[in-house]
Amino acid sequence: MRFIKHLRRFLAVLLTLHAALCVVLLLNFTAPNPTGRRYSSEMPLTTGRGSAAEIGRSAELILAKDLRLPRNDQADQRKCLCNSAHSRLVTPAECNVCMASVPMSTSFRRPDFFGNGFIAEAKNTQGLSYEGRELDQIADYAQAARQLRIPLYVYTRVNTQVDAIFERMVAETGGAVVRYFTVPNWSDPVDVFARNGLLISLGGLTLLLLSALRRRTRSDRISVPVKPRNTLSKALEHVDAAQNFAQRATDRVREELD
């Protein structure tokens, strides 16, 4: 019986911890990237639902919200990466400050976000390929990130096809390509696991509780407490018995005399 009791307690603790873990996963704030999220808080525009500029901007606005950072095109931001190949390094008019100077094919580049110790870029596209125009851009960002000794994070759609060269360049900075922006009919596998796990844990805890209540009720029915008679009650019973015996003896003597 003691073993079963300990087993129930162990299962209850295990199920409670499992339920807590599932809740934490469903809250979506423990991912290893600057947002802390596994996927975006909102779904951006996708191909066919707007112009290229509108599609890109929708992802940037969502990432700004999730990062809690202003976009790097605002008047008080505009932090740039500048071309070190210029003989005289002059800050371009489109920039407020040059954060790093690296060899580039253009006079400057302005990432979507400069955070506290990281660079972030939103890429709301179907693919990042070796032949695409994004390769030189991401290569320049990665080079600057290595110079600044900060990680680069490139946020794509959850189903974006990414060539291995992008993964390698970004990983060398200590950052990552993050499959992040949700698309129609997509569901996070971790969320599915967490929801199912939470239901199983709650169901197991419910069964343990019902089992404990049923056992307690059965135990109460079997062991009905009997109140012990006190000394006064016993004495009165003895007195009554003696009186009854005396009365019977008196009645018997009278019958014999008659």
Side-chain angles (χ1 to χ4, degrees):
M1 298 296 286
R2 182 174 297 178
F3 170 76
I4 295 177
K5 186 177 181 180
H6 287 319
L7 179 61
R8 282 200 181 101
R9 288 181 178 176
F10 172 76
L11 289 176
V13 171
L14 188 64
L15 290 171
T16 300
L17 292 176
H18 187 260
L21 174 62
C22 292
V23 170
V24 170
L25 291 175
L26 288 172
L27 291 176
N28 190 14
F29 66 88
T30 59
N33 71 79
T35 68
R37 303 178 60 91
R38 292 189 305 277
Y39 53 87
S40 58
S41 59
E42 300 176 36
M43 185 183 299
L45 296 176
T46 51
T47 307
R49 297 187 177 186
S51 66
E54 290 171 338
I55 290 172
R57 183 178 176 83
S58 69
E60 292 173 17
L61 291 173
I62 292 171
L63 188 55
K65 174 185 173 183
D66 294 350
L67 286 170
R68 297 181 178 85
L69 286 175
R71 293 166 61 236
N72 195 31
D73 62 352
Q74 297 185 13
D76 60 341
Q77 297 293 312
R78 300 196 304 176
K79 300 174 181 177
C80 295
L81 310 176
C82 298
N83 193 340
S84 63
H86 292 174
S87 57
R88 290 180 59 230
L89 186 60
V90 179
T91 302
E94 296 87 350
C95 306
N96 290 340
V97 61
C98 288
M99 299 297 293
S101 300
V102 295
M104 295 188 297
S105 59
T106 183
S107 60
F108 75 95
R109 291 195 186 278
R110 191 170 61 212
D112 291 335
F113 300 92
F114 259 102
N116 184 16
F118 67 89
I119 299 173
E121 180 75 7
K123 288 298 180 187
N124 186 14
T125 61
Q126 292 178 326
L128 292 176
S129 68
Y130 181 82
E131 299 175 348
R133 61 183 179 84
E134 295 90 355
L135 180 61
D136 288 342
Q137 180 192 40
I138 300 302
D140 291 341
Y141 290 171
Q143 187 179 187
R146 289 195 300 272
Q147 184 185 106
L148 294 170
R149 297 183 180 180
I150 59 176
L152 167 66
Y153 291 90
V154 178
Y155 291 83
T156 70
R157 297 177 188 172
V158 292
N159 60 352
T160 296
Q161 298 297 316
V162 182
D163 282 355
I165 188 171
F166 288 92
E167 303 270 9
R168 185 172 64 255
M169 285 191 304
V170 174
E172 286 174 354
T173 71
V177 174
V178 184
R179 270 70 172 186
Y180 189 73
F181 299 112
T182 56
V183 296
N185 303 319
W186 177 84
S187 60
D188 180 35
V190 176
D191 276 356
V192 174
F193 165 79
R195 280 194 293 268
N196 292 337
L198 182 59
L199 290 175
I200 292 172
S201 297
L202 293 178
L205 288 171
T206 301
L207 290 175
L208 285 175
L209 178 60
L210 291 176
S211 175
L213 290 175
R214 188 179 299 117
R215 188 161 180 258
R216 182 176 299 177
T217 302
R218 186 181 303 168
S219 176
D220 291 342
R221 289 177 180 175
I222 294 174
S223 56
V224 178
V226 179
K227 294 182 179 179
R229 294 179 298 175
N230 56 36
T231 306
L232 180 59
S233 298
K234 292 181 179 179
L236 291 175
E237 288 179 1
H238 288 309
V239 171
D240 290 339
Q243 287 178 346
N244 291 334
F245 177 77
Q247 185 64 43
R248 287 196 299 273
T250 303
D251 293 339
R252 189 178 301 111
V253 170
R254 286 179 180 174
E255 288 176 359
E256 290 177 357
L257 292 175
D258 293 340

